[in-house]
């Protein structure tokens, strides 16, 4: 018997937790287990631009309010759009910032600008937030890939997400939440043969390393390390053995099932999990599309919040939900809403942020921010601070050049920090 314990031995499984009952939340053992657990991030990206007016910041019965009502939430005085009844019941877990005001109204540049934090131009591509977290916090005790991305369509490795940090910190995308092809060792290859092949590979890697720059070599080696860890935890892609009730709660649609895989990855200890939903760019027939898209998001995201809280992971996981911008208050000739970075909303929950509160305010028509506006740089400071990283002192190292991890002229959204 191996006298050493594995990282998995230190995790608290959802089944074990539920078997212990909710009373476990109050026990000193549980508190200590959560204290020792790695901090993690769930990053939900609604690609195309979610409408703040039909979700987090409704303006019913106004010029641009649209046809939907607002409904009360679990926090008195705070209302959501009526298409999010499940999340309305969980507002006490959320922190919503209604005063985001950013610069870019184009998808092509806005997606990158928001996910890289829009820092001052230093002539180098900055890393996405997930890559920054992977670099600063590492893979954690699980040893699993530190930055994974669950998305519709194809998967693969995206080195460009890492910017100047180098390809080692890029995102590993799992298309449709499925594992990479041929993840497991072929049954015709024995363990001994596999070990011999790896020994040969490592010898060739050393020759490879002599002729190439360090960060390329590190990236090459990390791919094999990640593959080995994933082979040992191939079960995290399989939701077929989960209770039917769970699969129904998240929804049988893509976002629901992808969020369910994300939950398994967080439970397994993956540091940063990004989940993307496409199709939020609604320039035409906006309101009909909202009646199908928003309820799917409401179902999947609320189920995730429920489960993270019940397993205790919400205490150690920072949850972020956003798009590249919001949508125009003005309704266009195609009954759609266009791009609107001037006044939109993001939602957060979990580790390091306050809950049950709204930060900021837009005017009565939703056209402008009425309170202090926040650019994405302020959000990056807030997220790093929530993870315990001093965003004004900690710096990236770009081949010897120190660079700030968030826009150096901005501050965190203090009202949101716990």
């Amino acid at each position: 018997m191996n006298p050493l314990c594995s990282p998995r031995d230190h995790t608290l499984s959802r089944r074990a937790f539920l078997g212990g009952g909710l009373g476990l939340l109050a026990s000193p053992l549980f508190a200590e287990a959560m204290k020792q657990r790695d901090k993690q991030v769930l990053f939900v990206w609604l690609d195309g631009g979610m409408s703040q007016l039909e979700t987090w910041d409704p303006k019913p019965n106004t010029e641009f309010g649209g046809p939907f009502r607002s409904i009360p939430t679990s926090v008195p005085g705070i209302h959501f759009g009526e298409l999010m009844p499940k999340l309305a019941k969980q507002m006490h877990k959320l922190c919503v910032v209604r005063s985001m005001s950013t610069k870019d109204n184009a998808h092509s540049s806005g997606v990158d600008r928001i996910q890289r934090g829009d820092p001052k131009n230093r002539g180098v591509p900055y890393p996405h937030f997930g890559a920054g977290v992977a670099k600063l916090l590492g893979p954690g005790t699980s040893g699993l890939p530190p930055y994974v991305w669950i998305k519709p369509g194809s998967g693969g490795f995206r080195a460009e997400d890492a910017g100047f940090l180098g390809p080692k910190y890029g995102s590993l995308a799992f298309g449709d939440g499925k594992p990479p092809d041929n993840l497991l060792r072929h049954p015709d290859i024995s363990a001994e043969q596999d070990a011999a092949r790896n020994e040969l590979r490592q010898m060739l890697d050393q020759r490879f390393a002599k002729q190439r720059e360090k960060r390329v070599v590190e990236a090459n080696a990390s791919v094999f390390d990640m593959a080995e860890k994933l082979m040992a935890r191939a079960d995290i892609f399989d939701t077929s053995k989960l209770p039917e009730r769970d699969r129904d709660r998240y929804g049988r649609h893509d976002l629901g099932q992808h969020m369910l895989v994300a939950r398994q990855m967080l439970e397994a200890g993956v540091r940063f999990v990004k989940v993307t939903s496409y199709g939020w760019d609604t320039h035409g027939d906006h309101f009909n599309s909202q009646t199908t898209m928003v309820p799917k998001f409401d179902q999947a995201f609320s189920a995730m919040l429920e489960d993270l809280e019940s397993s205790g992971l919400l205490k150690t996981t920072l949850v972020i939900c956003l798009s590249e911008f919001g949508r125009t208050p003005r309704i266009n000739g195609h009954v759609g809403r266009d791009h609107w970075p001037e006044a939109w909303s993001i939602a957060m929950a979990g580790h390091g942020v306050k809950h049950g509160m709204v930060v900021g305010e837009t005017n009565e028509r939703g056209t402008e921010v009425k309170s202090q506006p926040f650019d994405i740089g302020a959000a990056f400071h807030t997220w790093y601070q929530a993870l315990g990283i001093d965003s004004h002192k900690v710096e990236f190292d770009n081949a010897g050049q120190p660079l700030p991890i968030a826009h150096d002229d901005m501050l965190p959204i203090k009202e949101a920090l716990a």
Side-chain angles (χ1 to χ4, degrees):
M1 177 182 292
N2 187 346
L4 301 177
C5 49
S6 69
R8 196 175 178 185
D9 296 327
H10 291 281
T11 62
L12 183 64
S13 73
R14 175 178 166 73
R15 180 177 298 173
F17 170 81
L18 292 176
L22 292 175
L24 184 58
L25 275 173
S27 81
L29 284 176
F30 176 81
E32 185 59 27
M34 287 298 102
K35 187 177 178 182
Q36 292 180 5
R37 191 180 171 95
D38 292 327
K39 296 172 186 127
Q40 295 171 273
V41 179
L42 171 66
F43 192 87
V44 179
W45 180 260
L46 305 175
D47 193 88
M50 183 191 215
S51 173
Q52 70 283 1
L53 294 156
E54 275 67 50
T55 54
W56 310 114
D57 192 12
K59 304 289 182 183
N61 304 315
T62 64
E63 179 183 4
F64 301 134
F68 303 114
R69 299 172 301 165
S70 67
I71 55 175
T73 69
S74 58
V75 177
I78 297 176
H79 288 67
F80 285 169
E82 66 172 318
L83 299 176
M84 300 202 305
K86 295 178 185 297
L87 283 168
K89 292 177 182 176
Q90 299 196 59
M91 175 59 217
H92 55 284
K93 300 186 182 87
L94 291 163
C95 178
V96 176
V97 180
R98 286 175 170 168
S99 50
M100 294 303 297
S101 184
T102 49
K103 300 181 182 68
D104 207 317
N105 67 356
H107 299 294
S108 57
S109 50
V111 170
D112 249 14
R113 180 174 283 206
I114 295 297
Q115 295 202 53
R116 297 186 194 276
D118 197 19
K120 287 183 179 178
N121 184 5
R122 261 90 176 184
V124 290
Y126 254 66
H128 281 199
F129 183 58
V133 170
K135 168 68 175 178
L136 297 172
L137 295 182
T141 53
S142 75
L144 288 164
Y147 177 19
V148 307
W149 179 17
I150 301 169
K151 60 185 284 293
S154 60
F157 188 74
R158 287 182 55 87
E160 59 268 35
D161 285 5
F164 63 74
L165 293 179
K168 178 181 177 182
Y169 301 101
S171 63
L172 181 57
F174 301 119
D176 293 323
K178 296 178 180 174
D181 290 340
N182 304 314
L183 175 64
L184 298 180
R185 190 177 73 235
H186 193 281
D188 291 342
I189 300 174
S190 69
E192 291 75 17
Q193 289 172 321
D194 190 49
R197 289 181 176 202
N198 275 315
E199 188 176 343
L200 175 61
R201 175 184 61 78
Q202 289 164 6
M203 187 176 68
L204 294 173
D205 279 353
Q206 291 174 7
R207 181 181 300 178
F208 175 85
K210 291 178 182 175
Q211 302 170 22
R212 288 166 177 83
E213 61 177 300
K214 181 181 176 183
R215 63 181 192 167
V216 174
V217 174
E218 287 180 344
N220 183 64
S222 69
V223 167
F224 290 97
D225 293 340
M226 286 192 290
E228 187 177 13
K229 297 292 183 183
L230 280 177
M231 288 170 69
R233 290 305 315 268
D235 58 299
I236 59 179
F237 298 98
D238 184 7
T239 59
S240 65
K241 296 183 178 63
L242 293 175
E244 291 293 311
R245 179 176 175 276
D246 268 4
R247 302 178 72 186
D248 289 339
R249 284 175 52 242
Y250 280 74
R252 300 287 178 148
H253 42 80
D254 282 353
L255 179 57
Q257 295 306 295
H258 295 172
M259 201 76 87
L260 197 50
V261 175
R263 189 194 81 186
Q264 299 213 121
M265 292 192 173
L266 290 169
E267 290 173 346
V270 174
R271 175 73 76 185
F272 191 104
V273 180
K274 181 165 78 171
V275 179
T276 289
S277 169
Y278 292 117
W280 293 85
D281 191 23
T282 49
H283 292 281
D285 199 20
H286 170 80
F287 299 105
N288 280 329
S289 68
Q290 297 298 285
T291 62
T292 57
M293 296 178 67
V294 178
K296 289 178 180 175
F297 165 74
D298 181 55
Q299 180 181 25
F301 194 50
S302 61
M304 175 67 93
L305 290 177
E306 285 176 357
D307 288 350
L308 290 179
E309 183 180 52
S310 67
S311 66
L313 285 178
L314 200 57
K315 290 180 178 295
T316 54
T317 304
L318 171 63
V319 179
I320 301 164
C321 177
L322 79 168
S323 299
E324 60 266 46
F325 37 61
R327 305 214 71 82
T328 52
R330 186 183 66 82
I331 301 165
N332 66 28
H334 301 284
V335 198
R337 295 191 191 272
D338 301 317
H339 308 165
W340 194 247
E342 284 82 354
W344 56 288
S345 304
I346 63 175
M348 299 177 285
H351 183 77
V353 295
K354 290 179 180 173
H355 45 85
M357 70 177 299
V358 165
V359 176
E361 184 181 5
T362 52
N363 64 14
E364 289 185 356
R365 300 193 307 163
T367 55
E368 295 177 1
V369 172
K370 192 175 174 182
S371 57
Q372 180 185 354
F374 294 110
D375 204 336
I376 192 63
F380 264 55
H381 278 288
T382 307
W383 300 337
Y384 279 128
Q385 300 269 0
L387 292 170
I389 300 168
D390 189 331
S391 55
H392 289 290
K393 293 183 178 177
V394 176
E395 295 176 313
F396 289 131
D397 180 1
N398 175 34
Q401 177 192 20
L403 291 175
I405 62 175
H407 197 296
D408 28 345
D409 289 344
M410 295 186 188
L411 298 170
I413 307 170
K414 290 185 178 176
E415 301 95 317
L417 286 170

